[in-house]
Amino acid sequence: KAGDKFIPLGMNNFKKVSDFLNEQQVPAHKKKEQLLLTNRNNIVWVIGLRIDNRIRYSDKCKKTYKIWMK
C-alpha cells in the first residue's frame, strides 16, 4: 500500500518501497504486481530484488529458512 517502508539490505534507514522500485528502474506497469514477503506487518523481502537489512544473515542466526516461488 502507499507509504510502505522497509530498510533495504546495506542501508540503515527506512526507504519507501515505491522509491526503491523507482531506483531499481521497475516499470510502472510492474510496480503494482510486485510481491512482498511480510512478517507481522513488516516487509522482509521485496521479492526478487532485496531483503530487509534487519533480517540479514549473521553469526547470531539460530534458524534459516529457504523460500522459493514457482
Side-chain angles (χ1 to χ4, degrees):
K1 42 189 178 180
D4 279 351
K5 297 178 181 179
F6 79 120
I7 303 175
L9 183 65
M11 297 185 68
N12 295 318
N13 298 315
F14 282 93
K15 181 174 285 272
K16 287 183 180 179
V17 173
S18 59
D19 292 343
F20 174 76
L21 294 175
N22 284 336
E23 290 171 4
Q24 297 299 305
Q25 300 180 347
V26 174
H29 69 278
K30 292 204 173 214
K31 288 179 186 174
K32 291 187 179 194
E33 299 172 3
Q34 179 64 51
L35 298 175
L36 304 174
L37 179 67
T38 62
N39 180 32
R40 297 183 181 158
N41 294 322
N42 292 311
I43 296 170
V44 296
W45 185 22
V46 178
I47 295 179
L49 297 175
R50 190 86 47 97
I51 64 168
D52 189 291
N53 197 55
R54 296 169 291 179
I55 59 106
R56 70 188 180 279
Y57 180 80
S58 74
D59 294 337
K60 296 177 184 177
C61 290
K62 295 179 182 177
K63 290 183 182 180
T64 60
Y65 296 91
K66 185 174 184 177
I67 300 171
W68 68 94
M69 294 181 59
K70 289 185 178 185

